Amino acid sequence: MRIAVTSTGPTLDDNIEARFGRCAYFIIADPETLHFEAVPNPNVSLGGGAGIQSAQMMAQRGVSAVLTGNCGPNAVKTFGAANIQVLTGVAGTVRNAVSRYKSGQLPAAAQPGVQQRSAGSAGQGPGMGTGQGPGCGRGMGGGRGMGGGRGMGGGRGMGGGRGTGQNR
């Protein structure tokens, strides 16, 4: 199994980069052995579509999961199509994140491509969304609350935008 972690630098001791598509490096690691490869992100300065291009690159490299701070909806769709698990809200060093993933301390996403915050990440607690536009699709879940946590209701459903609800 190989996982990808967004990173600010090329080592396991660098910090996780919060931005998936515009991270400086992807650390592709085997959680069992900690053998890793540092891959510079060629999409960091794209005008648009950096998340999609980076997600496609991770699929081509055969990763089964991605650990990051945040991942946009277009990249999430690409990961879902490739059957790759996405875990967001991950912070700290790459080494620590890989260790927590290996030991099961990061909650597994319910299905490939679904974003979920890790336990102990910032922004947990009740949230209130403002609804941004007339979405169509996704249904329940996936909205962002004011507290930065994941919302349980509304999501990108009909007229929901980024919905309201209780954070997980």
Side-chain angles (χ1 to χ4, degrees), residues 56-84:
Q56 289 172 342
M57 185 173 79
M58 293 300 99
Q60 291 167 351
R61 291 186 172 264
V63 302
S64 58
V66 173
L67 313 180
T68 187
N70 188 36
C71 188
N74 292 332
V76 168
K77 286 180 188 177
T78 303
F79 283 129
N83 206 31
I84 296 172

Side-chain angles (χ1 to χ4, degrees), residues 35-51:
H35 176 72
F36 73 97
E37 171 188 11
V39 179
N41 184 359
N43 305 309
V44 72
S45 60
L46 283 181

Side-chain angles (χ1 to χ4, degrees), residues 71-159:
C71 188
N74 292 332
V76 168
K77 286 180 188 177
T78 303
F79 283 129
N83 206 31
I84 296 172
Q85 185 180 55
V86 179
L87 293 122
T88 61
V90 183
T93 67
V94 173
R95 184 184 307 274
N96 182 270
V98 171
S99 175
R100 289 186 300 161
Y101 179 84
K102 177 183 173 186
S103 67
Q105 292 177 358
L106 296 178
Q111 56 185 317
V114 173
Q115 294 185 29
Q116 182 173 336
R117 289 205 174 269
S118 65
S121 65
Q124 290 187 355
M128 291 285 291
T130 58
Q132 299 178 359
C136 186
R138 290 207 188 238
M140 286 183 50
R144 286 198 182 273
M146 273 175 118
R150 302 296 298 162
M152 288 282 286
R156 292 186 178 269
M158 294 294 291

Side-chain angles (χ1 to χ4, degrees), residues 14-38:
D14 285 308
N15 287 320
I16 292 175
E17 169 62 62
R19 302 167 300 161
F20 169 72
R22 301 204 185 275
C23 67
Y25 288 88
F26 294 103
I27 303 297
I28 299 175
D30 178 331
E32 298 300 319
T33 64
L34 283 184
H35 176 72
F36 73 97
E37 171 188 11

